[in-house]
């Protein structure tokens, strides 16, 4: 991949949109770049307004450095497909690079581009930002999360569950938890993207589910379900309500989804 990108750069071209979905691995193992609509001569390159999260270089980079940033992101993605986190917090790149070195037999220097191009802990090309307090603690936390033994899992689960619970907004009527933008299309109740899915995950993993959050789903199911289906519609909501012990309320969203009466007999 580095050789192919170098050949593009040797011709004075910035690819501009490098991420895994714009790459094809040929049967012989060679790499083929596709989707050249953003590629242009380096001197005339115009940064696109949008890009793939985690693979798009920050505003401080230009020219071929834009492609080298994306290449470093692909290095990270190949072993830990969590590269989108770096778009929110570039320090995560260094934490994830530590985990890669710990868990995988990568050659010496493999993570160096990740650290210099993405992480703001270094003096690399990434734009300077305010100093982060507790970087050492954060990196230790990342290692403990991704290298934990089964004996550590309940503690990690409870920590993750506490974070999820803290984000709940039971005062809202459109959603209980923040989530995927698909909430704006399918609503905030369903199993795939809404409250039912979050409560199902908490319950299934043995984490505590707050009664007020179950009550929110019961109330919302009275009027908020309009479509059938397990993942996006009322049948998934009904399944979760029944699983959580709300046997009287459970049939309601399924009935609403198929156009039947919304009250339970």
């Amino acid at each position: 991949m580095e050789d192919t990108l170098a050949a593009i750069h040797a011709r004075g071209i910035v690819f501009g949109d490098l991420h895994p979905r714009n790459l094809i691995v040929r049967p012989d193992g060679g790499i083929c770049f596709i989707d050249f609509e953003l590629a242009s001569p380096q001197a005339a390159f115009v940064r696109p307004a949008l890009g793939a999260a985690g693979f798009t270089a920050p505003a401080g980079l230009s020219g071929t450095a834009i492609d080298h940033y994306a290449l470093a992101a692909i290095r990270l993605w190949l072993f830990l497909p969590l590269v989108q986190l770096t778009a929110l917090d570039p320090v995560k790149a260094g934490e994830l690079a530590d985990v890669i070195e710990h868990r995988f037999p990568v050659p010496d220097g493999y993570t160096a581009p990740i650290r210099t191009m993405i992480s703001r802990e270094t003096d690399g090309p990434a734009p300077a930002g305010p100093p982060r307090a507790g970087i050492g603690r954060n990196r230790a936390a990342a290692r403990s999360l991704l290298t934990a033994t089964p004996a550590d899992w309940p503690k990690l689960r409870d920590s993750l569950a506490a974070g999820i619970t803290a984000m709940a907004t039971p005062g809202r009527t459109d959603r209980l938890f923040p989530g995927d933008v698909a909430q704006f299309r399918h609503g905030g109740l369903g199993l795939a993207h809404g409250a039912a899915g979050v409560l199902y995950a908490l319950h299934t993993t043995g984490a505590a589910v707050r009664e007020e959050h179950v009550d929110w789903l019961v109330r919302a199911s009275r009027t908020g379900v309009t479509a059938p289906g397990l993942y996006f519609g009322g049948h998934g909501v009904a399944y979760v309500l029944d699983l959580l012990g709300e046997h009287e309320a459970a049939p309601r969203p399924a009935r609403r989804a198929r156009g039947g009466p919304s009250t339970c007999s």
Side-chain angles (χ1 to χ4, degrees):
M1 189 186 313
E2 288 92 342
D3 293 341
T4 304
L5 186 61
I8 294 173
H9 289 170
R11 290 164 171 78
I13 300 297
V14 176
F15 185 70
D17 192 23
L18 181 56
H19 57 84
R21 291 190 177 183
N22 280 351
L23 299 170
I24 293 177
V25 180
R26 297 179 183 273
D28 63 0
I31 300 294
C32 176
F33 284 49
I34 62 173
D35 289 350
F36 278 77
E37 68 271 17
L38 296 181
S40 63
Q42 181 175 345
F45 183 77
V46 177
R47 289 177 58 92
L50 300 175
F55 300 92
T56 302
L61 298 184
S62 61
T64 58
I66 291 174
D67 290 340
H68 287 298
Y69 182 97
L71 188 62
I74 292 174
R75 280 177 173 261
L76 194 161
W77 174 86
L78 285 170
F79 289 93
L80 291 176
L82 303 171
V83 69
Q84 288 82 1
L85 294 176
T86 66
L88 303 174
D89 183 359
V91 171
K92 290 295 181 186
E95 298 172 4
L96 296 174
D98 287 345
V99 176
I100 290 173
E101 292 179 350
H102 180 81
R103 292 181 63 95
F104 302 100
V106 294
D108 291 342
Y110 179 86
T111 63
I114 298 172
R115 299 179 190 280
T116 58
M117 294 300 301
I118 303 176
S119 178
R120 294 183 183 177
E121 297 175 48
T122 72
D123 295 326
R132 276 284 304 271
I135 286 176
R137 291 195 303 273
N138 291 339
R139 294 175 75 165
R143 284 195 296 270
S144 67
L145 180 63
L146 295 171
T147 62
T149 65
D152 297 320
W153 292 349
K155 182 179 179 181
L156 294 173
R157 176 206 59 199
D158 293 343
S159 178
L160 291 168
I164 293 170
T165 300
M167 291 188 291
T169 53
R172 294 179 60 145
T173 58
D174 58 336
R175 64 162 171 80
L176 179 58
F177 299 98
D180 192 274
V181 293
Q183 284 187 344
F184 297 105
R185 178 180 180 185
H186 300 290
L189 276 68
L191 195 59
H193 303 295
V198 176
L199 299 184
Y200 172 80
L202 291 172
H203 175 80
T204 301
T205 57
V209 178
R210 288 192 178 182
E211 184 176 350
E212 64 176 315
H213 297 165
V214 179
D215 291 342
W216 186 95
L217 188 60
V218 171
R219 293 194 305 271
S221 70
R222 293 171 183 161
T223 58
V225 175
T226 58
L230 177 64
Y231 289 110
F232 304 118
H235 295 83
V237 177
Y239 172 76
V240 173
L241 286 173
D242 185 70
L243 188 68
L244 296 175
E246 295 292 335
H247 307 302
E248 182 178 349
R252 184 183 298 117
R255 289 176 177 175
R256 284 184 54 80
R258 68 170 184 261
S262 60
T263 58
C264 299
S265 57

